[in-house]
Amino acid sequence: MSTSSVDRPLQPGDRAPNIVLDAISRDGKIALTDFRGRSPLLIGLFRGLHCAFCRRNVAAMAQLEPALRERGVECLAVVNTPVERARLYFRYHPAPDLLAASDPERASHRAFGLREVGMDEVMGIRTHLPGELPEPMDPMAMDEFLNKKEGYEITEADQRMMASAKELLVGQFLIDRGGIVRWSFTEGLEDGPDITFKTPNPEELMSAASQVAH
């Protein structure tokens, strides 16, 4: 899938791009235009499943999905993992009500303007997850520690995704029925490690969802 790139994260008021991706949780393709005129959509653009923090993002979205669905908002989790590898993961870590899609080319992240950063910049981060990490760690050490703790086995498909010299930051975007972004949350290294490796405030997200659904 090829699509255009933008030079900044999309903000409320911007029109969301159309992207077409391989579905993970079912057969076929998923296009953002499928939701136009039908329902608002919360789309989460995450790094690959080899990223322990991104697996937590997916799980957090799955937990919020029932409450969002009650408000008429659908959810879509996009991961930078080849589709067969992603389907294997979801087979053993099911989230039956969460729609998910694969984007190993990372085209959706670029289309939403999520910034690409060099590994030297990423490795300058020290992140502490209370109760999960024994001490602040850089992202590589964090992934290694949590993957071992959770028994996540890195496959050849994961290794191909990890081989990139750059990473893309992650983000979530709430899109209304007309295809306009109404709320967003994106990582930003300029804000320091307190914002990187965090998930959106659920109360803020649910408030935005209630407004968009009406």
Side-chain angles (χ1 to χ4, degrees):
M1 181 201 77
S2 63
T3 189
S4 60
S5 301
V6 294
D7 58 6
R8 60 166 178 80
L10 296 188
Q11 302 295 316
D14 290 335
R15 176 166 292 279
N18 184 41
I19 54 176
V20 182
L21 303 168
D22 288 320
I24 295 169
S25 44
R26 60 173 173 77
D27 292 332
K29 302 283 187 178
I30 298 173
L32 289 198
T33 52
D34 295 341
F35 303 91
R36 302 276 165 87
R38 189 182 83 189
S39 69
L41 174 71
L42 175 66
I43 182 171
L45 304 175
F46 308 123
R47 290 178 287 274
L49 293 169
H50 61 273
C51 166
F53 179 71
C54 292
R55 296 198 300 271
R56 281 157 175 74
N57 267 295
V58 172
M61 179 176 276
Q63 289 180 339
L64 286 175
E65 193 275 341
L68 288 165
R69 185 167 12 99
E70 285 184 2
R71 289 164 171 78
V73 177
E74 298 193 54
C75 293
L76 174 62
V78 179
V79 293
N80 300 149
T81 298
V83 64
E84 293 304 325
R85 170 55 173 152
R87 285 174 177 166
L88 179 64
Y89 176 82
F90 278 95
R91 188 179 306 157
Y92 291 99
H93 302 81
D97 295 322
L98 181 64
L99 192 63
S102 164
D103 182 13
E105 296 180 4
R106 307 177 179 182
S108 56
H109 289 65
R110 291 189 288 271
F112 276 82
L114 294 173
R115 188 159 73 90
E116 192 174 55
V117 295
M119 289 305 296
D120 55 343
E121 190 174 4
V122 171
M123 293 299 287
I125 300 168
R126 292 295 181 273
T127 299
H128 184 41
L129 299 178
E132 295 200 77
L133 299 179
E135 60 186 6
M137 294 181 174
D138 66 60
M140 295 290 286
M142 177 185 70
D143 280 343
E144 184 177 355
F145 180 88
L146 292 176
N147 286 344
K148 183 176 181 180
K149 178 181 177 181
E150 297 169 7
Y152 184 90
E153 296 185 11
I154 297 295
T155 66
E156 183 179 348
D158 291 322
Q159 290 174 341
R160 289 199 302 271
M161 298 310 301
M162 294 166 64
S164 171
K166 295 187 176 181
E167 283 284 5
L168 284 163
L169 301 181
V170 305
Q172 298 188 37
F173 301 85
L174 185 59
I175 304 167
D176 68 16
R177 292 180 183 85
I180 303 299
V181 175
R182 295 303 179 189
W183 172 91
S184 65
F185 174 90
T186 58
E187 286 183 328
L189 294 184
E190 65 277 7
D191 297 320
D194 287 342
I195 189 66
T196 307
F197 300 118
K198 279 194 173 182
T199 56
N201 181 299
E203 293 182 1
E204 179 185 327
L205 171 55
M206 298 309 294
S207 175
S210 295
Q211 294 177 30
V212 169
H214 291 302

